[in-house]
Amino acid sequence: MDLTFTTAGESHGPGLVAIVEGLPAGLAIDREALDRDMARRQLGHGRGGRMKIEKDAVEVRSGIRHGRTLGSPVALLVANRDYANWEERMNPWPVEAEVEEVHLPRPGHADLAGLLKFGHTDARNVLERASARETAARVAAGGIAKQFLAVLGVSVHSHVLRIGGVEAPAPDDLAPEDFAGVDTSPVRCLDADAERAMVEEIDRLRKANESLGGIFEVRAYGLVPGLGSYTTPEGRLDGRLAQALVSIQAVKGVSVGEAWDVAGRPGSEAHDEILFSEERGYHRETNRAGGVEGGMSNGEPLVVQAALKPISTLTKPLRSVDTETKQPAEALRERTDSAVVPAAGVVGEAMVALTLARCYREKLGGDHIDDVLAALDAYKRRIGWRR
Ligand code: EPS
């Protein structure tokens, strides 16, 4: 059984769509929880004017009836309120008005390569889809995946570790409860001093017409060992998580566990020794591997980090070329955010949840959620899993 999802939609078009296929039937879906995640993705110090216009909510168009999945594809719609202001420019059908084309590609954005690839003359045909607005659809799909995982005892959380030059101290051990207040932080950071410094950094750079990048971390708790597989390159959980996270707009790097640090340590300080007790079964005292060994979950918390480059729409534009005249020009200047790392963490949760949900579907199969739970129980019994 496979679980897949796809998204469609342009940033200022009528709306975004996500389709999730391969869910079991009978899974209870909480509507408020879906919309809570949509709202969380809109938060964060450093967002631009667009977030004052949108109030994202998920409309279910198929696959759920009276609050339970049917086993058929689930289609989700997130409307773009801003479409009302873009109806002429983004109408699916021809309009009478003269619509101005965009010819000033932004360094770092999809604009130039997208124009060349698809043979467009108007960069709006590229940038509308390349926009990170698309992540609203991912979070809608990820919300469904999270609810599936929750039934299996899995929770997924995120927090911000770095914005621009400000780094939060690396947390050692975090329990799911430690994330309870993370959304009340304006930068979704768990460290109060770093939070203050991050807010100041965003304000300082925004005033200087700059944008910022940063690092977020996603952790998942309650996983059984054996999700993903070492048996094929594409089956490896770490490879799949890396793909899922790097596919988020502006993410340029992903690490699993203490990747960059262990690269410089001797082997004796790089791994997590294996222990066994009657009460806990197999367990570890450290989690340098971030819960993944040999391309599989090992039952410890999953820890992944993702690095974002600064947003490529700049209020003080970089040098570019007018694609019509080929003359030097300043890149497109548009309304934009200055920092999106806090929101990107919520998108990261969605991508991790979708990846893990897919692994569970592969591993456990089942047409009804009760079949999935019975298979999970049988697997835990077979391996003597006590958590
Ligand atoms: C984005 C530009 C901004 C962001 C947008 C991503 O949109 P606008 O051009 O309408 O001001 O706000 O993100 C969202 C709309 C969102 O929902 O996250 C870009 O160019 O990538």
Side-chain angles (χ1 to χ4, degrees):
M1 180 55 79
D2 199 5
L3 184 144
T4 58
F5 85 103
T6 192
T7 72
E10 278 74 42
S11 180
H12 304 98
L16 301 157
V17 172
I19 296 181
V20 186
E21 272 187 88
L23 289 160
L27 173 68
I29 299 295
D30 174 3
R31 187 179 182 175
E32 277 80 43
L34 292 181
D35 285 339
R36 258 198 308 278
D37 265 0
M38 300 307 292
R40 290 173 67 232
R41 195 201 65 92
Q42 291 200 262
L43 294 176
H45 194 68
R47 301 306 301 270
R50 177 77 182 270
M51 288 306 102
K52 294 191 180 76
I53 300 172
E54 303 299 341
K55 191 176 181 303
D56 293 335
V58 178
E59 272 178 59
V60 175
R61 287 304 167 107
S62 74
I64 297 175
R65 183 163 180 248
H66 301 158
R68 287 196 185 263
T69 54
L70 298 172
S72 51
V74 171
L76 307 167
L77 182 69
V78 181
N80 288 329
R81 286 190 171 191
D82 206 15
Y83 180 60
N85 306 315
W86 288 75
E87 242 186 298
E88 258 177 357
R89 281 170 289 177
M90 290 305 294
N91 203 298
W93 307 114
V95 291
E96 306 244 309
E98 188 76 34
V99 176
E100 209 182 319
E101 293 198 344
V102 176
H103 298 143
L104 304 171
R106 290 158 293 176
H109 217 282
D111 303 345
L112 181 58
L115 279 180
L116 298 173
K117 177 178 169 68
F118 286 103
H120 297 303
T121 56
D122 184 358
R124 186 156 299 288
N125 288 338
V126 176
L127 67 89
E128 284 289 335
R129 176 63 184 158
S131 162
R133 173 72 185 150
E134 184 259 352
T135 61
R138 300 192 195 207
V139 169
I144 301 273
K146 277 186 186 173
Q147 295 195 30
F148 171 60
L149 291 172
V151 175
L152 309 183
V154 175
S155 64
V156 182
H157 310 268
S158 72
H159 64 125
V160 168
L161 285 173
R162 179 179 187 137
I163 292 187
V166 181
E167 224 172 325
D172 284 342
D173 224 11
L174 288 175
E177 310 79 76
D178 294 325
F179 292 89
V182 72
D183 293 318
T184 59
S185 160
V187 283
R188 305 193 64 255
C189 178
L190 295 173
D191 183 271
D193 291 337
E195 170 191 298
R196 229 170 293 118
M198 285 173 183
V199 169
E200 279 171 22
E201 175 89 333
I202 293 168
D203 291 344
R204 187 174 69 79
L205 283 164
R206 185 162 44 189
K207 275 195 207 112
N209 291 310
E210 286 287 2
S211 61
L212 300 89
I215 297 176
F216 67 80
E217 181 173 83
V218 180
R219 296 192 178 214
Y221 298 85
L223 301 170
V224 290
L227 300 167
S229 178
Y230 63 90
T231 57
T232 57
E234 63 277 7
R236 286 183 174 260
L237 178 60
D238 35 14
R240 294 161 76 165
L241 288 165
Q243 199 283 331
L245 288 167
V246 175
S247 77
I248 300 170
Q249 292 81 341
V251 171
K252 293 288 119 187
V254 172
S255 59
V256 180
E258 297 177 13
W260 304 108
D261 287 342
V262 295
R265 282 186 220 150
S268 59
E269 292 165 33
H271 303 290
D272 307 302
E273 290 180 311
I274 301 172
L275 307 172
F276 185 88
S277 71
E278 275 312 317
E279 192 203 340
R280 295 175 65 194
Y282 293 115
H283 62 276
R284 317 294 174 102
E285 277 175 349
T286 55
N287 188 19
R288 294 156 172 159
V292 184
E293 288 173 312
M296 294 167 295
S297 58
N298 64 6
E300 299 302 314
L302 175 77
V303 184
V304 286
Q305 294 183 5
L308 282 92
K309 65 181 178 181
I311 290 161
S312 49
T313 308
L314 296 175
T315 40
K316 186 177 65 191
L318 295 174
R319 284 186 301 167
S320 182
V321 170
D322 185 312
T323 52
E324 283 295 287
T325 64
K326 309 291 188 287
Q327 293 303 305
E330 284 189 343
L332 178 68
R333 199 192 305 237
E334 279 214 320
R335 174 186 65 188
T336 186
D337 308 297
S338 53
V340 289
V341 190
V346 179
V347 181
E349 289 172 24
M351 294 308 291
V352 167
L354 285 158
T355 306
L356 294 173
R358 188 174 192 184
C359 292
Y360 269 105
R361 290 302 281 141
E362 276 168 18
K363 178 142 195 53
L364 303 174
D367 292 316
H368 190 276
I369 187 67
D370 291 346
D371 304 341
V372 183
L373 287 170
L376 180 63
D377 230 41
Y379 177 60
K380 284 184 173 174
R381 242 178 296 120
R382 173 168 76 70
I383 64 171
W385 196 242
R386 293 150 214 231
R387 296 186 223 169

